[in-house]
Amino acid sequence: MAEKLAIHGGRPTVPPGMIKPWPHITDEDRRAVMEVLEAEDINEQRRIQFEGLSREWAEYLGVRYCIPTNSGTAALHMCVAALGIGPGDEVILPAFTFWASAAAVLHHNAIPVFVDIEPKTFCIDPSKIEEKISERTKAIMPVHVHGMPADMDPILEIAGRYGLKVIEDAAQAHGARYKGRLCGTMGDVAGFSMQMSKPLTTGSEGGLFVTDDELYYKRAALLQYFGELVIPGREREDQEYNAYGLGWMYRGDVFGQAFARSQLRRLDEYNAWRIRNCNFLTEHLSKIPGIETPYVPPEREPVYYNYVVGVKPEELGLDVHPRVLRDKVQEALKAEGVPVGLWQRMPVPAQEVFQAKVGYGRGCPWSCRHYSGRVEYREEDYPVAKAFLDSHFYVYGINPPNRLELMKLYVEAFEKVMDNLEELI
Ligand SMILES: Cc1ncc(COP(=O)(O)O)c(C=O)c1O
């Protein structure tokens, strides 16, 4: 007789306490942060860590400029501002992403215009971009979602043909590659997040703005710190207290920067570890009827920020909505000790902020007199994103230091749950 499901009182497949959290912190990281605390002059450390992280991330990517920030959203807002995008302008981005991608556009009074996603990789569908381009479009913002590089060549080709800029939202894709090129190096500007869950992290909050262009770099730097160009730790020497433009306060934190620099030394090793774990899952889970594993096009090297799994009731002859099967499978897997969950619940344009279009108040920026368009945000315009969100969930714990030993238990748990589906549905 098949083993009893944990949700029905059986023994959980994954023993409690086995899954190690992210980030994976080592003595090297602890030393890096302690060195900041133990330094004689913490103000000097602010300059050292800021400049060190700027230099090292720029070197890693092979770009000229990097500005560490206090969040990925801040870095993306700096991207929008750096390109001179503002009131009345439109930026094209995928309907499936984190709301922060769109928020960065709204923060500079510009209008997000959404495009549906590719059915297999869940990144923006390049074949649907052109129909959304208007005379107001200034940029395309592909998102390398879940660490999967977007299909950049057709995006860059369309941008070139229409004279548009490209902003890469690489918040989840540190070290991912498209045709050998690193994410964050293919567009005009890029923003990375270093929030706690990301492949490169400060351990709490943070971000990175990058570009090869000196003008974009200077504009971004002005926006980052109250409209002035001031190196952290040199405020007394540099600051004129004369804002040269509209500025925010987007600086990062010294301890987080020291931590991220230490983690960066192991980024490639950690990414390879994630890939090993996820390839193992794909090899085994793909054999289970009713389960869909990630598709990786040959030209793309994802870094698996998250491992995404889909359900296919039709493959099992089940006449239920994918959401029903997905939720039942998730519940049973959780009981088996597998950490699974959802991320976005609806396409971004379906969120209340876009339905209400209140924005800054009185409907700005949509009602701004500079805006001549009439963008509509209808959930039904993004059927692929909607279908993806209804049928997929995430498997966590694929991060270092978790090993294949744990992945094997995940596979066992999936097999057990899928073998006992009739008990669940
Ligand atoms: C795709 C995407 N874009 C932007 C962001 C914003 O980054 P942060 O949370 O660091 O502001 C995130 C973070 O979760 C993200 O996942």
Side-chain angles (χ1 to χ4, degrees):
M1 205 183 99
E3 216 189 320
K4 200 168 171 188
L5 291 176
I7 201 167
H8 294 146
R11 193 176 48 86
T13 314
V14 182
M18 188 173 174
I19 302 164
K20 301 287 177 257
W22 180 256
H24 177 34
I25 301 172
T26 65
D27 282 345
E28 218 179 303
D29 304 325
R30 292 184 191 96
R31 263 197 308 277
V33 175
M34 279 310 287
E35 273 170 25
V36 174
L37 267 178
E38 286 168 0
E40 199 180 328
D41 183 352
I42 204 162
N43 196 37
E44 179 65 359
Q45 282 294 313
R46 290 172 61 232
R47 182 187 62 73
I48 291 169
Q49 299 306 331
F50 173 88
E51 289 183 343
L53 182 56
S54 306
R55 187 180 58 249
E56 287 157 17
W57 188 239
E59 273 170 17
Y60 179 88
L61 291 181
V63 298
R64 287 174 71 195
Y65 304 105
C66 168
I67 308 175
T69 63
N70 55 6
S71 74
T73 314
L76 287 170
H77 179 194
M78 285 157 62
C79 289
V80 173
L83 296 177
I85 292 166
D89 297 336
E90 291 177 348
V91 175
I92 289 177
L93 70 158
F96 170 58
T97 178
F98 184 49
W99 130 260
S101 322
V105 177
L106 290 170
H107 285 342
H108 230 57
N109 269 289
I111 306 291
V113 172
F114 296 95
V115 167
D116 210 354
I117 55 171
E118 294 175 322
K120 284 178 148 182
T121 65
F122 323 125
C123 295
I124 191 167
D125 186 340
S127 72
K128 294 184 180 153
I129 289 178
E130 277 189 86
E131 65 200 61
K132 296 291 178 90
I133 294 175
S134 74
E135 69 276 11
R136 297 170 295 277
T137 310
K138 291 292 182 298
I140 307 171
M141 183 194 285
V143 180
H144 306 301
V145 75
H146 306 321
M148 168 65 79
D151 194 3
M152 289 303 289
D153 274 355
I155 295 169
L156 293 167
E157 188 276 321
I158 295 167
R161 201 147 34 83
Y162 286 86
L164 307 177
K165 301 294 179 199
V166 174
I167 301 168
E168 290 181 75
D169 180 340
Q172 307 180 351
H174 315 69
R177 286 175 188 267
Y178 175 87
K179 298 189 179 171
R181 289 172 280 166
L182 280 163
C183 287
T185 66
M186 293 174 273
D188 296 279
V189 284
F192 292 84
S193 170
M194 291 197 293
Q195 175 270 344
M196 190 235 14
S197 66
K198 301 300 187 305
L200 179 66
T201 175
T202 61
S204 60
E205 306 290 343
L208 297 154
F209 165 92
V210 298
T211 187
D212 258 337
D213 185 288
E214 190 180 356
L215 175 64
Y216 300 157
Y217 161 70
K218 283 189 174 157
R219 284 187 186 150
L222 278 174
L223 182 120
Q224 193 209 18
Y225 190 64
F226 302 125
E228 285 196 76
L229 287 176
V230 184
I231 293 168
R234 289 194 47 85
E235 290 80 358
R236 284 200 195 127
E237 293 85 344
D238 294 350
Q239 199 152 359
E240 292 174 49
Y241 294 98
N242 177 17
Y244 285 87
L246 192 52
W248 274 255
M249 175 38 187
Y250 282 167
R251 277 185 174 176
D253 159 79
V254 65
F255 301 110
Q257 288 168 354
F259 182 87
R261 289 178 74 194
S262 173
Q263 287 264 318
L264 174 54
R265 290 185 204 113
R266 298 191 304 282
L267 176 64
D268 287 340
E269 179 197 333
Y270 282 178
N271 278 344
W273 199 325
R274 282 172 189 271
I275 291 166
R276 200 160 52 242
N277 281 346
C278 292
N279 284 348
F280 180 89
L281 287 181
T282 298
E283 184 191 338
H284 294 276
L285 298 184
S286 61
K287 294 179 189 144
I288 303 177
I291 291 293
E292 183 190 300
T293 50
Y295 167 71
V296 182
E299 74 282 4
R300 307 192 214 180
E301 294 170 56
V303 289
Y304 293 101
Y305 166 59
N306 278 320
Y307 189 80
V308 191
V309 172
V311 296
K312 295 188 284 187
E314 67 289 354
E315 204 173 274
L316 301 167
L318 286 173
D319 186 20
V320 294
H321 193 281
R323 232 179 5 237
V324 174
L325 177 60
R326 194 245 342 248
D327 293 349
K328 291 285 179 196
V329 168
Q330 270 207 104
E331 241 178 278
L333 284 169
K334 274 185 196 163
E336 295 299 332
V338 181
V340 292
L342 300 180
W343 185 48
Q344 301 300 299
R345 315 296 156 106
M346 60 183 99
V348 175
Q351 292 187 22
E352 195 51 42
V353 60
F354 292 106
Q355 298 305 303
K357 283 193 192 161
V358 173
Y360 296 98
R362 304 200 184 106
C364 282
W366 295 278
S367 63
C368 168
R369 69 183 175 83
H370 297 286
Y371 185 53
S372 58
R374 285 177 64 81
V375 66
E376 297 292 340
Y377 299 118
R378 286 181 298 257
E379 187 171 31
E380 60 271 25
D381 291 345
Y382 313 98
V384 184
K386 180 88 178 79
F388 167 77
L389 290 162
D390 281 346
S391 54
H392 286 71
F393 62 99
Y394 299 91
V395 179
Y396 305 116
I398 52 89
N399 54 274
N402 296 308
R403 298 179 180 281
L404 293 187
E405 183 193 4
L406 177 66
M407 301 305 114
K408 281 181 192 154
L409 294 179
Y410 284 4
V411 171
E412 267 177 44
F414 266 85
E415 286 168 349
K416 185 175 165 194
V417 168
M418 296 307 280
D419 279 351
N420 288 284
L421 264 191
E422 68 286 356
E423 281 184 37
L424 294 172
I425 296 194

